Amino acid sequence: MSVEENKALVRQYLESGRPEAMRGNLDVVHQYFADHYHDHTTMHPDHSGVQGLKEVIADWSQATPDLRTEVLEIAAEEDLVFVHWRGTATHEGQHQTTKHVRDIEPTGEEETVSG
């Protein structure tokens, strides 16, 4: 894939694929991630591969069902894509898998984070 195709795929996942997965169609992640996918962040180290990603998305969808992600900047070099994003959601449920927030009781308030 070209650099532009890689950027378009990542943008499509964040703007369309992940929201669809959060609405319950978890199999959509197979359109965006290889079976050997590995998350290199510290957010959910116990949930690897595509199955682990599905578990994390299911966790987000019950804890923050109205999650909206905005792509602020996107850049790529060869097969690496870098995204600066902002996510906004109402914290309605207890996270089970996302390490840095699973001990926070639901606030019922809208929060915004970026990464």
Side-chain angles (χ1 to χ4, degrees):
M1 293 176 71
S2 73
V3 168
E4 292 305 314
E5 289 171 323
N6 286 336
K7 286 170 43 178
L9 182 66
V10 170
R11 181 181 294 275
Q12 181 182 3
Y13 167 70
L14 290 172
E15 294 177 349
S16 302
R18 187 169 65 189
E20 183 176 341
M22 288 188 64
R23 288 189 299 271
N25 182 9
L26 290 170
D27 287 334
V28 74
V29 300
H30 292 282
Q31 295 175 24
Y32 300 94
F33 294 89
D35 289 336
H36 62 278
Y37 162 78
H38 179 77
D39 184 346
H40 293 278
T41 70
T42 61
M43 292 292 286
H44 16 79
D46 301 329
H47 303 272
S48 62
V50 173
Q51 185 58 40
L53 179 60
K54 288 180 180 183
E55 292 169 13
V56 168
I57 292 171
D59 180 48
W60 294 343
S61 66
Q62 64 81 30
T64 56
D66 63 343
L67 176 63
R68 301 164 312 281
T69 303
E70 176 185 7
V71 174
L72 302 174
E73 300 286 339
I74 190 165
E77 184 173 316
E78 297 181 16
D79 65 346
L80 296 176
V81 179
F82 308 87
V83 179
H84 178 205
W85 54 267
R86 178 175 36 231
T88 304
T90 307
H91 189 194
E92 295 181 9
Q94 184 79 34
H95 282 279
Q96 303 299 312
T97 62
T98 306
K99 180 180 176 183
H100 301 301
V101 294
R102 66 180 164 217
D103 296 329
I104 300 172
E105 292 294 324
T107 64
E109 296 183 19
E110 186 173 89
E111 303 290 336
T112 299
V113 296
S114 63

